[in-house]
C-alpha cells in the first residue's frame, strides 16, 4: 500500500518532524465517528466524523466489493428463552447444545402439541426483508418458517432441500458442523410475527411431537442473508454505520482514500428487487448471480420470445431539472443495455463486453469497470418535470433501445443496484433501497478548538491536500476561525475552469479568488499564508498569490463532500509558512504517497 521513494528518507523525516498534523488515508485508521491522525498520536489531531442517522452509505472495500451497513432487527437473536421470544402450545427449549460453529450455543426446540413453535412479534413495514436461522434435524426432519403477512417455507433438514414456499426467494445451505443448514426466506410485505416450527413433512406441522436444533436468528433488509450480527435487548448493526468514515478502494486501488460526498437521495424504491418493476417482454430471476457486493443478490433479466423491444420500467420519480440514473450491469449472453428517460426518450447505450460507451443524446453518460465483468453505467438528463428511467436489453448490433427483435428466453443480462439521484449531474456511491427512497447525508470531518493548539499557528501556516479529482466538483471548507471573525474562511471549490481558493473575510465578503486548472486524477494542492500574504501551489508550481486580511484560523473542517465525490489521500498541516522550494517539493509529481512511505518506515501505531 505504501510507495518507498529512493534517496528521500532524510527529506521525508524532515517534513515529518516539521509537520504538526498528518491525516493519511493509507493508514486506514478509523472507527465509527472518528478519523485518527498519524501525527499527533495523543488524540489532539483526531477528526470527528459525522454523516447521518441511517445505514444508506456504502463504500468499495479492499476486496473491491461494495460494503453496506447492516442491521439485525430480531431481538435476543440467540437467546430464544428470553422475551420477546414466546413459546406456543407448551413447546420447550433446551440450551447448551452443540452448534454449527463448534460452540455450545445451539438450542433444542421441542413440541408436544400440534402447531408447536416459537415466535417473535416484530414491526417490519413493506420493504424487502430476509429472515434466516441455522437449523439441524433431530426428532423432526423438517423446519417451517412463517412470516405472518409475508410468506412461508418448509425446509427438508435431512436432505437439504426446499419444500412448499412463498415469498421472493428461499434458500437452504449446508454450513459448519455436519447436519447444520442456514435457512433463509426473503419477502416484500408487512411482517407481524416471525414463527419457527419443528415440522412433520412438507406442508405439515400438525404432529404432536418432534424437535429440531436452532441457532442464530437474523432479520435484515435486503434480498439475502449476511454474516451473523448478534443482538440482545436492542437491534445491532455492522458494516458501514451511520458515522463510519469510508476508506474507499474504488477503481482497483491498493491504497484507500477517504470518500467524502455531498448529500444525495436514491429516489427509486427498489434498487435490487427488479421483479417489483414493470416488466415489458422480459423475465426476471432474482438472486441469480454474484453481484458487485460479493453476494448472490443480482437479478437476471431475460428477454422473452416476443418480437418487440425488451425493457424494465420504473414508476415516475419527481426529479427536478437534473437527474442521474445509474445501474451495475454484466453481460449474460446479451452484451448491450441502454438507460432511457421515459419522459422524453433520451438515452445512452453501453457495451458490457468491452466496457465502452455507445451513442447517447443526453447531457452526459459514462461507464465504469468495477471488476468481475461488472460495469456501472450512468446517464445524466436535464429535464424539468417527473423523470423515471427504463433499462433496455439490446441486440449487439443495435444502436436504438426501442429497436424490435425476438429474444430466445435464454440469453440475458445481469443487473444490480439501480440508482436515481435528483438534482445530480453525476453518480455518487451506491445508496441501497428496499421499498422506500433513501437519503445519505453529507460527510463531515471536523477538527476544532485549535486556537491554543500547536497544530495550527493561526496567523501563519501551510496546508497540503492530496486527493483524486473524479468529477470536477469541488466544495470544501478547509480552515475557519473559531474566534470573533466567524465568517472568515479559506474555501476551496470549483470555479474559473478548475480548482479555486476563495478567501472570505469577517463581513462575509471575498478577500481573494485564486483559480487554477487541474485535470482529472491525482492532484496536490497547497495553501501557504503568512499573516496577510497568501500563495497557492498546485502539482509542483505556484498558481497565484494574494494579499488578505490577517485572521487567526483555528478550526479545520472537511465537509459538503469535500471535493464532492472526490477522494482524500492525505491532509497535512504545518504551523509555519514553508519555503517556496518546500512547497514545490511537497506538491511535485514525484512525491505521491511520500508520507505514506514515511509512515511505513516509522512503523507508526494509532492509539485506541
Amino acid at each position: 500500500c505504501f510507495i518507498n521513494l529512493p534517496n528521500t528518507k532524510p527529506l521525508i523525516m524532515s517534513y515529518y518532524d516539521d509537520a504538526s498534523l498528518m491525516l493519511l488515508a493509507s493508514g486506514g485508521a478509523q472507527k465509527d465517528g472518528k478519523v485518527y491522525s498519524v501525527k499527533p498520536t495523543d488524540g489532539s489531531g483526531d477528526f470527528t466524523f459525522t454523516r447521518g442517522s441511517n445505514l444508506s452509505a456504502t463504500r468499495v472495500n479492499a476486496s473491491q466489493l461494495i460494503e453496506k451497513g447492516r442491521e439485525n432487527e430480531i431481538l435476543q437473536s440467540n437467546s430464544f428463552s428470553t422475551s420477546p421470544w414466546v413459546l406456543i402450545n407448551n413447546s420447550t427449549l433446551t440450551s447448551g447444545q452443540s452448534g454449527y460453529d463448534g460452540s455450545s450455543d445451539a438450542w433444542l426446540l421441542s413440541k408436544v402439541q400440534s402447531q408447536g413453535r416459537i415466535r417473535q412479534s416484530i414491526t417490519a413495514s413493506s420493504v424487502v426483508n430476509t429472515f434466516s436461522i441455522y437449523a439441524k434435524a433431530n426428532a423432526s426432519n423438517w423446519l417451517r418458517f412463517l412470516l405472518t403477512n409475508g410468506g412461508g417455507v418448509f425446509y427438508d433438514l435431512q436432505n437439504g432441500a426446499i419444500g412448499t414456499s412463498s415469498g421472493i426467494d428461499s434458500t437452504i445451505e449446508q454450513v459448519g458442523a455436519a447436519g447444520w443448514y442456514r435457512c433463509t426466506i426473503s419477502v416484500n410485505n408487512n411482517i407481524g410475527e416471525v414463527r419457527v416450527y419443528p415440522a412433520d413433512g412438507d406442508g405439515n406441522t400438525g404432529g404432536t411431537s418432534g424437535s429440531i436444533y436452532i441457532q442464530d436468528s437474523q432479520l435484515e433488509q435486503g434480498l439475502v442473508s449476511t454474516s451473523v450480527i448478534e443482538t440482545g435487548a436492542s437491534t445491532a448493526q455492522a458494516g458501514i454505520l451511520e458515522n463510519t468514515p469510508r476508506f474507499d478502494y474504488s477503481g482497483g486501488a491498493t491504497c484507500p482514500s477517504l470518500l467524502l460526498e455531498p448529500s444525495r437521495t436514491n429516489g427509486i424504491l427498489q434498487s435490487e428487487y427488479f421483479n417489483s418493476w414493470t416488466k415489458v417482454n422480459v423475465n426476471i430471476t432474482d438472486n441469480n448471480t454474484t453481484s458487485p457486493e460479493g453476494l448472490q443478490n443480482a437479478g437476471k433479466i431475460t428477454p422473452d420470445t416476443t418480437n418487440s423491444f425488451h425493457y424494465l420500467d420504473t414508476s415516475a420519480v419527481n426529479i427536478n431539472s437534473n437527474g442521474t440514473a445509474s445501474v451495475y450491469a454484466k453481460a449474460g449472453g446479451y452484451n448491450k443495455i441502454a438507460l432511457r428517460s421515459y419522459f422524453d426518450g433520451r438515452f445512452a447505450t453501453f457495451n458490457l463486453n468491452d466496457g465502452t460507451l455507445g451513442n447517447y443524446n443526453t447531457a452526459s453518460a459514462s461507464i465504469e469497470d468495477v471488476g468481475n465483468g461488472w460495469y456501472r453505467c450512468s446517464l445524466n438528463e436535464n429535464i424539468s418535470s417527473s423523470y423515471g428511467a427504463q433499462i433496455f436489453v439490446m441486440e449487439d448490433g443495435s444502436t436504438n433501445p426501442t429497436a424490435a427483435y425476438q429474444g430466445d428466453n435464454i440469453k440475458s443480462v445481469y443487473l444490480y443496484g439501480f440508482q436515481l439521484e435528483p438534482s445530480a449531474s453525476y453518480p455518487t456511491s451506491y445508496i441501497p433501497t428496499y421499498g422506500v427512497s433513501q437519503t445519505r447525508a453529507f460527510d463531515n470531518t471536523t477538527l476544532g478548538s485549535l486556537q491554543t493548539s500547536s497544530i495550527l499557528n493561526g496567523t501563519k501556516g501551510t496546508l497540503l491536500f492530496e486527493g483524486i479529482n473524479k468529477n470536477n466538483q469541488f466544495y470544501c471548507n478547509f480552515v475557519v476561525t473559531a474566534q470573533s471573525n466567524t465568517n472568515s474562511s479559506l474555501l476551496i471549490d470549483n470555479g474559473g475552469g478548475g480548482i479555486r481558493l476563495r478567501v472570505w473575510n469577517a463581513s462575509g465578503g471575498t478577500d481573494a479568488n485564486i483559480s487554477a486548472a487541474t485535470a482529472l486524477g491525482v492532484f496536490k494542492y497547497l495553501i501557504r499564508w503568512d499573516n496577510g500574504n497568501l500563495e497557492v501551489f498546485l502539482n509542483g508550481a505556484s498558481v497565484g498569490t494574494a494579499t488578505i486580511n490577517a485572521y487567526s484560523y483555528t478550526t479545520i473542517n472537511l465537509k459538503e463532500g469535500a471535493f464532492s465525490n472526490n477522494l482524500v489521500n492525505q491532509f497535512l498541516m504545518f504551523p509555519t509558512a514553508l519555503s517556496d522550494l518546500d512547497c514545490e517539493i511537497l506538491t511535485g509529481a514525484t512525491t505521491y504517497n511520500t508520507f505514506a512511505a514515511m509512515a511505513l518506515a516509522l512503523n507508526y501505531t494509532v492509539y485506541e
Side-chain angles (χ1 to χ4, degrees):
C1 185
F2 302 108
I3 299 175
N4 285 298
L5 302 176
N7 304 317
T8 59
K9 187 173 181 181
L11 182 66
I12 293 171
M13 293 304 298
S14 175
Y15 287 132
Y16 174 81
D17 291 338
D18 292 342
S20 58
L21 172 67
M22 291 185 175
L23 186 159
L24 302 179
S26 52
Q30 53 85 21
K31 67 177 183 179
D32 197 38
K34 187 73 69 174
V35 180
Y36 293 126
S37 63
V38 172
K39 183 182 180 182
T41 59
D42 61 359
S44 62
D46 295 343
F47 286 73
T48 298
F49 185 92
T50 59
R51 180 173 44 245
S53 59
N54 59 38
L55 299 178
S56 59
T58 64
R59 70 157 181 167
V60 175
N61 63 24
S63 300
Q64 296 297 306
L65 299 174
I66 293 173
E67 183 179 354
K68 299 174 178 174
R70 303 181 292 117
E71 182 174 18
N72 186 357
E73 299 179 42
I74 286 287
L75 304 183
Q76 305 295 348
S77 60
N78 198 47
S79 297
F80 296 105
S81 62
T82 304
S83 177
W85 288 107
V86 178
L87 288 164
I88 302 298
N89 292 344
N90 295 316
S91 298
T92 62
L93 284 165
T94 306
S95 63
Q97 307 300 303
S98 297
Y100 70 91
D101 54 358
S103 69
S104 299
D105 294 335
W107 298 74
L108 181 66
L109 172 62
S110 304
K111 68 173 183 175
V112 295
Q113 294 181 29
S114 174
Q115 308 302 324
R117 61 189 183 271
I118 189 172
R119 67 170 176 83
Q120 183 174 141
S121 296
I122 61 172
T123 302
S125 58
S126 292
V127 298
V128 173
N129 283 286
T130 295
F131 177 71
S132 63
I133 205 167
Y134 292 82
K136 179 181 176 180
N138 190 42
S140 301
N141 292 326
W142 285 76
L143 158 71
R144 182 194 186 191
F145 287 167
L146 178 62
L147 279 59
T148 58
N149 305 317
V153 60
F154 284 83
Y155 303 91
D156 181 348
L157 298 178
Q158 187 174 37
N159 300 302
I162 293 174
T164 304
S165 65
S166 61
I168 297 173
D169 192 24
S170 53
T171 66
I172 183 168
E173 178 186 8
Q174 189 168 6
V175 292
W180 279 96
Y181 295 90
R182 193 178 195 186
C183 303
T184 76
I185 180 173
S186 302
V187 300
N188 185 39
N189 294 92
N190 293 321
I191 302 172
E193 282 185 2
V194 171
R195 300 177 182 177
V196 179
Y197 300 74
D200 308 292
D202 189 12
N204 183 10
T205 54
T208 57
S209 65
S211 60
I212 58 172
Y213 297 100
I214 58 174
Q215 187 178 353
D216 287 338
S217 60
Q218 189 148 302
L219 180 70
E220 55 196 304
Q221 289 192 3
L223 284 166
V224 292
S225 60
T226 62
S227 56
V228 170
I229 308 170
E230 188 168 349
T231 67
S234 58
T235 65
Q237 300 174 338
I240 304 300
L241 306 182
E242 291 92 338
N243 294 317
T244 299
R246 292 180 290 166
F247 285 87
D248 190 89
Y249 293 79
S250 294
T254 55
C255 291
S257 300
L258 179 59
L259 176 60
L260 301 172
E261 294 182 302
S263 178
R264 287 289 181 87
T265 296
N266 187 356
I268 201 69
L269 303 185
Q270 295 284 4
S271 64
E272 298 171 18
Y273 179 33
F274 292 104
N275 245 321
S276 68
W277 290 32
T278 300
K279 300 177 283 289
V280 180
N281 302 323
V282 294
N283 296 308
I284 309 293
T285 306
D286 295 306
N287 293 350
N288 183 262
T289 195
T290 303
S291 76
E293 193 180 345
L295 300 173
Q296 190 166 317
N297 58 347
K300 181 179 181 181
I301 289 76
T302 307
D304 63 20
T305 56
T306 305
N307 188 12
S308 183
F309 36 77
H310 307 265
Y311 68 96
L312 287 172
D313 192 64
T314 70
S315 299
V317 178
N318 289 324
I319 288 186
N320 299 318
S321 70
N322 252 344
T324 294
S326 60
V327 69
Y328 296 87
K330 181 177 181 177
Y334 287 107
N335 297 311
K336 208 167 187 181
I337 68 164
L339 291 174
R340 181 177 183 265
S341 164
Y342 68 61
F343 174 77
D344 60 7
R346 294 184 181 274
F347 65 88
T349 65
F350 308 89
N351 189 316
L352 305 178
N353 180 48
D354 58 14
T356 57
L357 176 65
N359 58 314
Y360 65 94
N361 56 8
T362 63
S364 63
S366 66
I367 184 169
E368 177 186 6
D369 187 344
V370 297
N372 298 318
W374 285 95
Y375 295 91
R376 194 180 193 191
C377 308
S378 70
L379 169 151
N380 172 240
E381 175 76 312
N382 289 315
I383 55 179
S384 58
S385 63
S386 296
Y387 167 39
Q390 300 164 326
I391 306 173
F392 281 76
V393 182
M394 300 172 60
E395 284 192 304
D396 286 357
S398 177
T399 59
N400 185 353
T402 58
Y405 66 94
Q406 186 170 2
D408 60 8
N409 210 28
I410 298 174
K411 296 195 298 293
S412 60
V413 297
Y414 303 103
L415 298 178
Y416 167 84
F418 184 83
Q419 190 150 302
L420 195 54
E421 299 177 70
S423 302
S425 59
Y426 60 91
T428 61
S429 60
Y430 176 46
I431 303 170
T433 64
Y434 303 112
V436 295
S437 65
Q438 290 289 333
T439 297
R440 180 195 63 234
F442 69 84
D443 302 289
N444 190 355
T445 307
T446 306
L447 178 58
S449 302
L450 297 178
Q451 53 264 44
T452 60
S453 170
S454 61
I455 291 176
L456 191 58
N457 185 332
T459 58
K460 60 177 62 178
T462 306
L463 178 154
L464 172 67
F465 176 91
E466 178 182 329
I468 302 174
N469 174 13
K470 292 182 65 178
N471 298 100
N472 279 328
Q473 300 287 334
F474 309 109
Y475 190 88
C476 177
N477 274 325
F478 260 144
V479 185
V480 298
T481 179
Q483 296 179 350
S484 58
N485 298 320
T486 56
N487 290 318
S488 59
S489 66
L490 306 179
L491 173 70
I492 298 178
D493 64 6
N494 61 322
I499 185 170
R500 175 177 62 181
L501 172 68
R502 287 191 290 173
V503 183
W504 296 97
N505 58 39
S507 301
T510 302
D511 270 3
N513 281 302
I514 299 175
S515 295
T518 180
L520 297 178
V522 176
F523 70 97
K524 289 193 171 186
Y525 193 82
L526 183 146
I527 306 168
R528 180 185 67 193
W529 67 96
D530 187 350
N531 290 299
N533 299 310
L534 182 140
E535 189 163 5
V536 173
F537 292 78
L538 174 65
N539 294 340
S542 174
V543 293
T545 62
T547 300
I548 62 173
N549 290 299
Y551 298 117
S552 180
Y553 299 112
T554 56
T555 301
I556 302 169
N557 186 258
L558 307 176
K559 71 173 185 178
E560 289 294 341
F563 299 88
S564 294
N565 199 31
N566 287 250
L567 301 162
V568 178
N569 290 341
Q570 59 186 13
F571 178 81
L572 290 85
M573 291 293 304
F574 297 84
T576 58
L578 298 182
S579 70
D580 287 356
L581 179 59
D582 287 331
C583 296
E584 291 165 0
I585 291 173
L586 286 170
T587 58
T590 60
T591 60
Y592 295 153
N593 286 321
T594 296
F595 286 95
M598 173 276 302
L600 181 63
L602 292 175
N603 191 27
Y604 76 89
T605 58
V606 177
Y607 80 99
E608 289 291 343

